[in-house]
């Protein structure tokens, strides 16, 4: 341990004696690490933002939605769910809790006085708040009696309020959806953007009102979110729902599903897998600069060995072993790379924060601790790997020949 500490001190002293050369040598590692951290921080920040958006859905929430294959779409066919599918989930499948259909209501625009906007109009039920985790911050949400009596009431999002220039407290105002007037009874809490699309540019109305506005179309554009009564029953429930919907749609054995049943956490897992792959690919490409930095360290260390040949001869004459010389030069190379890595981590994180702040509505950059540890460790490893040749050359010098070197 004493020999190692002495070698560390000697390596540090040598680097401090040539500050400018040490800085220029480590510049390649610094730039490479900063690039990796900046890219990873942006991707991880974006990934965390998406995960937080889906986290509100809960681990026992599933979603049934129509699926159209590429071959069907190329033929102009679009698969849709029907109201029978909603009734099937509500009344005929064991283990299903709350069922929340969400139907896109076609509209020529939303009007308020002289203003017109085109927010998304969604018809749903009172359980929407429980299943989707979206609550009103002013007024109230749709209740069951609104559906039963088909009241023309609406809950609006912040972006819709802004586009229509509604009052700051729009509860009690009337807006026009198509040819019908609706009373605003609530304002949804603000959710911001997701994948570049505003989550606040919407108007929610009672499900049966929307159904009537579509002319009781049998297969509107619709999806259904529902909960499992028992969280341990999510996967078995998913299979039961698949079997029931296949039978309802009269799909034959071997015929592909024209629908999807996905758990809320599956969206998060899929997205994390995509961002993980993207991080690995982009990080791998940017990491090439780390290898370039490692080659720079090897070149400078080879020059350093040549410059310090006489010093190495003196150390060997005083009793330094081959191992002592090898450890000292490896430590120098590792410290050079580690220093560049640590500075690069700080600069990369700062660059990530700066870039994220310059992009409108982009989530803040985040760097997990494992990324910091991996970047620092990999930087040091690059220094050690590329320092092996110079260190081996220094350790193999003959002491007599080294002392004669001028």
């Amino acid at each position: 341990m004493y020999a190692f500490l002495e070698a560390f001190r000697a390596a540090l002293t040598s680097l401090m004696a040539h500050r400018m050369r040490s800085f220029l040598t480590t510049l390649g590692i610094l730039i490479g690490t900063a690039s990796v951290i900046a890219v990873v921080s942006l991707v991880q920040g974006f990934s965390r933002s998406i995960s937080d958006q889906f986290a509100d859905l809960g681990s026992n929430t599933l979603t049934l939605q129509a699926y159209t294959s590429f071959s069907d779409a190329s033929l102009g066919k679009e698969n849709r769910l029907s109201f029978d599918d909603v009734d099937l989930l509500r009344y005929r499948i064991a283990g299903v809790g709350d069922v929340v259909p969400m139907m896109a209501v076609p509209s020529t625009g939303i009007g308020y006085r002289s203003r017109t906007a085109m927010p998304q109009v969604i018809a749903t039920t009172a359980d929407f708040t429980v299943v989707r985790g979206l609550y009103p911050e002013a007024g109230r949400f749709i209740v069951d009696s609104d559906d039963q009596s088909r009241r023309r009431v609406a809950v609006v999002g912040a972006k819709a309020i802004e586009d229509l220039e509604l009052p700051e407290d729009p509860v009690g105002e009337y807006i026009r959806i198509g040819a019908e007037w609706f009373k605003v009874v609530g304002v949804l809490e603000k959710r911001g953007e997701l994948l570049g699309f505003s989550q606040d540019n919407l108007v929610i109305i009672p499900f049966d009102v929307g159904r009537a506005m579509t002319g009781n179309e049998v297969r509107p554009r619709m999806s259904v979110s529902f909960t499992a009564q028992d969280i341990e029953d999510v996967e078995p429930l998913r299979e039961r729902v698949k079997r029931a919907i296949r039978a309802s749609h009269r799909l034959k054995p071997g015929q592909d599903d024209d629908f999807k049943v996905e758990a809320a956490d599956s969206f998060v897992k899929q997205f994390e897998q995509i961002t993980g792959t993207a991080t690995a690919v982009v990080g791998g490409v940017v990491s090439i600069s780390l290898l370039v930095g490692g080659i720079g360290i090897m070149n400078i260390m080879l020059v350093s060995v040549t410059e310090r040949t006489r010093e190495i001869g003196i150390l060997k004459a005083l009793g330094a072993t081959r191992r002592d010389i090898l450890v000292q030069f490896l430590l120098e190379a590792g410290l050079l790379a580690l220093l560049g890595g640590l500075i690069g981590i700080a600069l990369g994180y700062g660059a990530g924060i700066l870039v994220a702040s310059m992009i409108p509505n982009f989530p803040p950059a985040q760097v997990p601790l494992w990324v910091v540890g991996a970047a620092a460790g990999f930087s040091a490893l690059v220094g050690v790997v590329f320092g092996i040749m110079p260190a081996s050359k220094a350790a193999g010098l003959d002491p007599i020949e080294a002392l004669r070197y001028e």
Side-chain angles (χ1 to χ4, degrees):
M1 179 60 70
Y2 176 77
F4 180 82
L5 292 176
E6 185 63 25
F8 181 82
R9 185 194 64 78
L12 197 59
T13 301
S14 176
L15 295 180
M16 293 299 293
H18 305 87
R19 292 182 180 86
M20 181 56 69
R21 186 173 72 178
S22 298
F23 173 73
L24 293 176
T25 302
T26 195
L27 199 57
I29 298 291
L30 188 155
I31 294 173
T33 306
S35 302
V36 171
I37 292 297
V39 170
V40 170
S41 66
L42 292 172
V43 175
Q44 289 294 319
F46 185 65
S47 176
R48 175 66 63 84
S49 173
I50 299 299
S51 298
D52 290 344
Q53 296 286 349
F54 284 110
D56 293 336
L57 296 181
S59 57
N60 68 328
T61 301
L62 299 98
T63 299
L64 169 66
Q65 55 188 355
Y67 170 72
T68 303
S69 64
F70 178 78
S71 59
D72 286 344
S74 62
L75 296 174
K77 179 181 178 182
E78 180 185 2
N79 294 321
R80 298 185 185 181
L81 300 180
S82 68
F83 295 116
D84 290 338
D85 295 326
V86 178
D87 294 336
L88 187 67
L89 285 170
R90 277 177 172 164
Y91 308 118
R92 297 178 57 188
I93 301 178
V96 174
D98 298 313
V99 176
V100 180
M102 290 164 286
M103 177 173 54
V105 179
S107 170
T108 56
I110 311 295
Y112 175 72
R113 295 181 180 174
S114 61
R115 294 286 297 177
T116 303
M118 293 294 293
Q120 183 181 15
V121 181
I122 298 176
T124 187
T125 60
D127 291 328
F128 179 88
T129 55
V130 178
V131 175
R132 300 305 296 264
L134 184 61
Y135 298 91
E137 65 178 19
R140 66 173 179 85
F141 198 73
I142 294 166
V143 295
D144 291 332
S145 60
D146 293 331
D147 246 339
Q148 294 165 2
S149 57
R150 295 195 175 184
R151 293 194 188 105
R152 267 47 177 177
V153 294
V155 183
V156 295
K159 185 67 166 60
I161 293 174
E162 178 185 338
D163 292 345
L164 290 169
E165 295 183 0
L166 285 163
E168 186 175 341
D169 182 10
V171 176
E173 298 289 332
Y174 284 85
I175 58 176
R176 187 182 69 257
I177 302 178
E180 301 190 39
W181 289 93
F182 285 73
K183 182 179 181 180
V184 176
V185 295
V187 177
L188 291 169
E189 59 185 359
K190 195 169 183 179
R191 299 294 291 272
E193 292 191 351
L194 178 63
L195 299 177
F197 296 96
S198 175
Q199 299 181 89
D200 304 312
N201 193 25
L202 78 165
V203 174
I204 295 178
I205 63 176
F207 184 74
D208 285 335
V209 174
R211 187 171 178 174
M213 291 177 67
T214 61
N216 288 315
E217 185 179 353
V218 177
R219 291 184 180 272
R221 284 189 171 89
M222 178 173 59
S223 65
V224 187
S225 288
F226 58 98
T227 59
Q229 292 177 348
D230 185 354
I231 195 171
E232 302 296 331
D233 191 40
V234 171
E235 285 304 318
L237 178 60
R238 187 208 300 256
E239 295 305 316
R240 290 199 298 273
V241 170
K242 282 185 176 181
R243 289 195 298 270
I245 299 297
R246 281 187 63 88
S248 174
H249 291 190
R250 297 179 181 177
L251 297 176
K252 298 177 181 178
Q255 192 173 355
D256 292 337
D257 292 339
D258 58 358
F259 62 91
K260 284 184 178 180
V261 182
E262 303 209 58
D265 58 353
S266 66
F267 294 106
V268 178
K269 291 176 182 177
Q270 289 175 12
F271 187 79
E272 288 178 346
Q273 185 177 5
I274 293 171
T275 54
T277 303
T279 302
V281 172
V282 176
V285 172
V286 177
S287 295
I288 294 175
S289 58
L290 287 176
L291 300 180
V292 175
I295 294 172
I297 288 177
M298 182 174 65
N299 289 335
I300 295 300
M301 292 300 296
L302 285 171
V303 172
S304 179
V305 169
T306 303
E307 288 180 349
R308 296 160 61 186
T309 300
R310 189 175 179 83
E311 174 191 333
I312 295 169
I314 294 172
L315 289 173
K316 284 199 167 186
L318 293 174
T321 64
R322 175 185 173 87
R323 177 184 174 185
D324 294 332
I325 303 298
L326 184 68
V327 169
Q328 179 179 337
F329 276 82
L330 281 178
L331 281 174
E332 284 188 31
L335 283 173
L336 274 173
L338 181 60
L339 178 63
L342 293 176
I343 298 175
I345 289 171
L347 291 179
Y349 185 45
I353 294 175
L354 180 62
V355 172
S357 64
M358 294 174 64
I359 301 175
N361 300 311
F362 197 87
Q366 291 190 356
V367 182
L369 290 177
W370 68 267
V371 174
V372 174
F378 186 69
S379 299
L381 180 63
V382 167
V384 171
V385 169
F386 283 93
I388 288 177
M389 182 185 293
S392 179
K393 180 181 178 181
L397 288 176
D398 181 82
I400 297 176
E401 294 297 327
L403 286 170
R404 287 178 179 175
Y405 185 81
E406 293 295 338

